[in-house]
Amino acid sequence: MGFQEAVNELYRRREKAKQMGGAEKLQKQHARGRLTARERIEQFLDPGSFWEMGLLNTSHTPGQEDVSAANGRIIGMGAVDGRRVAIEAQDNTVLGGSGDLYAHHKVAQLERMANERGYPIVRLMDGIGGARLPEQMGSRGMVHDK
């Protein structure tokens, strides 16, 4: 794969991840009168201040890569009234907002960065799934033949 093809693939993956759980799940969220995780972040933070981390992170369970955009967690840094904050939002449209081991590593990285910089952490918790326990507990070999 040449350089331009690799860049195009990166952009394709980023746009797919930003679609969260897909159009149908986003419509269901709106039909319930609820904002999506990305919309809540956008409304909460100062315009244009959000810097996302781990957008391309997905489940490490084989076959779930295409249904686990951002691994159910949207995290990053932004500003509220000009003050820097770290922010996490569970994405209810992706596996109920549940997270696996890598999603929790991603959140732990955000917490470390916030603590080092003295930023408050804002959590927009909307998920219903908690953790994907087989993945969270490292039992990958027990639930897969590989």
Side-chain angles (χ1 to χ4, degrees):
M1 177 182 297
F3 177 75
Q4 190 58 51
E5 290 87 12
V7 169
N8 292 343
E9 176 66 10
L10 174 63
Y11 284 134
R12 185 194 67 74
R13 288 182 185 187
R14 287 179 59 181
E15 288 309 309
K16 185 174 190 285
K18 288 180 181 178
Q19 298 304 309
M20 302 156 65
E24 183 178 322
K25 290 187 179 180
L26 297 178
Q27 288 172 348
K28 284 182 182 179
Q29 188 83 338
H30 289 147
R32 293 180 183 128
R34 301 170 76 181
L35 298 174
T36 67
R38 291 190 183 282
E39 291 166 339
R40 287 182 285 127
I41 288 172
E42 184 179 313
Q43 285 196 6
F44 185 78
L45 295 176
D46 294 348
S49 70
F50 184 55
W51 176 73
E52 185 169 354
M53 300 165 41
L55 173 65
L56 299 180
N57 182 246
T58 62
S59 171
H60 68 284
T61 298
Q64 288 208 335
E65 302 86 358
D66 289 337
V67 296
S68 58
N71 219 339
R73 301 285 192 283
I74 301 170
I75 67 165
M77 302 287 182
V80 175
D81 291 331
R83 182 175 179 197
R84 301 298 298 169
V85 298
I87 191 163
E88 170 194 2
Q90 289 179 337
D91 182 358
N92 196 34
T93 70
V94 174
L95 302 172
S98 64
D100 69 358
L101 184 62
Y102 295 118
H104 292 284
H105 283 305
K106 184 166 98 165
V107 171
Q109 177 69 19
L110 177 74
E111 291 169 349
R112 280 191 298 277
M113 290 175 70
N115 287 332
E116 289 170 2
R117 292 166 175 79
Y119 296 166
I121 301 172
V122 177
R123 299 183 196 277
L124 305 175
M125 310 309 274
D126 187 36
I128 57 173
R132 289 175 251 144
L133 290 179
E135 297 173 20
Q136 180 69 20
M137 297 178 69
S139 59
R140 182 174 175 180
M142 295 174 62
V143 293
H144 302 287
D145 294 334
K146 296 181 181 182

